Amino acid sequence: MLERVKGPEDLAGLDTAELTALAAEIRGFLIEKVCAVGGHLGVNLGVVELTIALHRAFRSPHDVLLFDTGHQSYVHKILTGRGAGFDVLRRNGGLSGYPSRSESAHDWIENSHASTALSYADGLAKAFQLRGELSDGSGDPARRHIVPVIGDGAMTGGLAWEGLNNLAGAADRPVVIVLNDNGRAYAPTIGGIATHLGGLRAEPRAQHLFTDLGLAYVGPVDGHDIAATEQALRAAAALGKPALVHVLTTKGRGFEPAECDEADRMHAVGVVDPHTGAPIKPPKKSWTEVFGEQMSAIGAERSDVVCVSAAMVLPVGLGEFARRFPERVFDVGIAEQHAVCSSAGLAAGGLHPVVCVYSTFLNRAFDQVVMDVALHKAGVTFVLDRAGVTGPDGASHHGMWDSAILSVVPGLRLAAPRDPARLAELLREAVAVDDAPTVIRFPKAVAGPDIEAHTRMNGVDILYRAAGRPLDVLIVAAGVTASTCLAAAEELDRLGIGTTVVDPRWILPVNPHLTHLADRHRLVVTVEDSVRSAGMGTALAQACADAESTTPVRVMGLPQEFLAAGGREEILEGAGMGVGDVVATVVDGLQAGPRIALEAVPELLEIPEVSQVAETAQIPGTAPISDVTQPPGTTTQLPETTQLITTVRTTNGEARQARSSPRH
């Protein structure tokens, strides 16, 4: 049947038996392809029949189908001719895991964050009405229907209710809202809306809020019955007024491992066995798992520490904490704004809340971070999973903006651990702050080995100092970029360039000691896995300027553009963040920058040690920065070339050439 369906128009002539066979083939296709490459499985298995019915009842793309959230659009992609792309799903140059306007005219929006579709639908309805194109219930084929498909989990988000409020109040703008009710976001849906929908399933004729708001209500209907669902959709479209079709589906339907998964019905998977659902390879410990272990330990140490999640208790690593301290975990639904504001209230009540979200999801609550937490000097800790480049989820999920956005928040402190030991250390330092917001960021990646410091100077970890060489370049590494910076330092040492690599641990605001270290070097290069503008590097450059330091600062980071999906290392290399790029940036900067004699730099002022930070032992044989000497007026000799080509080893061991250029 899949061979016969090249587009939505091919569904029209199929009878009931053929539609049933098609649904079974699609479900088998999803299990085979998604288990092979990873992606959102359970949620798409649950919308097979619903999506077929949608494409039979409406004429996409003339009629507008909006999927909220976009991870439930896989069947839509198959029915609109993109099935061949599932072999490279969520890979560089491959099929997006969410709706993508560049892929197909059938995708109107690229919404991978929840609770947005009703607002999009409201705007489109207003636009189509003004242009005389909106459907009016007359059956005129020239007019267009707008059909947002929203999951019950997404209805826990405040934005969904803002959109619903406007849609329900416009009786002359018919929009068909499809409520896909499977009782879950990741875990079971929580709150009053979940209770209300449960009541409607039990007693469809009961008075309910949708009709009270002014919407026509159709349902509940079995979302796995194609004919019944199609009939309900057509009936709603003929009403000529805003209507809600309540569709009941089962997440993970047709795949026993998913149906038996109580955690999240195999919502999203990596590469797994298509028969058992078990991972093909034993997974290595992730940053999320390390955080979960440390958070659970802190919970045992401090009864005032509580955790807040926006419908993602398990994905953000709070499973063990929730098992041990269920009364101290608050899942507020897909409602980041509420999560942050509620946490300010928790802090005001004498507790220390830890808000655990994906990095890009905190963007939605920036106003609350500023006005409800920072302004009130509330002791709230934010833990940002999936910071930096995330990989296969693509542009909407790369946590590229948190450093830049949060850098303007008064009093906020932002930390980036380079390894598991530093995550444990920094998390404890963060929850010890009770009069300001603190933030910990880490990537979606395997947690690598610990990188021990040679010494700690006023809160800054010295990771590398080239023995016997002058102070040519200070490389400031943010979090997990430390391993790249250390590999670059070794290559620079082979080139005769004296390198110091430091990890400030708390990357914002700038530790004053960094400006003094900058003064001791000829060049500063900062490396961070977030956008270059307004992050750690920009802040350090400004701090150096304010301190009247003459040392130039070069900032390396992600470009200010939306990055596509792909492997994490692949994306970082493509964005100019590899070992060779750091080497080239240093060489460029030294060739272009001033030659400053060491003795011309003022003596370092003593800076009080950061409280509660223990010094680490000096490694024997490593010259501390204060002991390095060089003859007055001398500098490191660089090759007499305008470009330097070197062979370096990348973090995965592959040899590549790096050519110096003014790219940073």
Side-chain angles (χ1 to χ4, degrees), residues 197-288:
L197 292 176
L200 287 179
R201 295 184 209 113
E203 181 50 64
R205 296 183 180 276
Q207 182 177 356
H208 50 80
L209 60 88
F210 300 117
T211 53
D212 289 346
L213 286 171
L215 293 165
Y217 174 84
V218 179
V221 61
D222 180 359
H224 300 295
D225 184 329
I226 297 174
T229 304
E230 180 183 348
Q231 182 181 9
L233 293 170
R234 293 185 182 278
L239 292 174
K241 62 177 295 186
L244 183 139
V245 181
H246 187 185
V247 180
L248 306 181
T249 62
T250 301
K251 189 174 183 179
R253 183 180 175 93
F255 187 40
E256 186 176 358
E259 292 185 355
C260 295
D261 178 17
E262 290 300 323
D264 65 0
R265 298 290 193 270
M266 296 185 71
H267 176 89
V269 298
V271 178
V272 299
D273 187 296
H275 303 290
T276 66
I280 297 298
K281 296 180 179 179
K284 297 180 180 179
K285 183 173 289 188
S286 68
W287 280 94
T288 306

Side-chain angles (χ1 to χ4, degrees), residues 307-314 316 318 329-333 339 354 356-357:
C307 291
V308 179
S309 166
M312 301 183 72
V313 170
L314 294 179
V316 297
L318 292 177
V329 175
F330 302 102
D331 185 347
V332 301
V354 179
C356 308
V357 294

Side-chain angles (χ1 to χ4, degrees), residues 82-106:
R82 288 173 273 176
F86 275 78
D87 288 329
V88 285
L89 177 68
R90 306 194 321 148
R91 295 184 180 178
N92 187 19
L95 198 67
S96 170
Y98 302 97
S100 172
R101 291 182 297 174
S102 64
E103 284 181 7
S104 174
H106 294 277

Side-chain angles (χ1 to χ4, degrees), residues 154-171:
M155 289 294 290
T156 61
L159 181 60
W161 290 93
E162 295 173 27
L164 188 68
N165 179 57
N166 280 265
L167 290 170

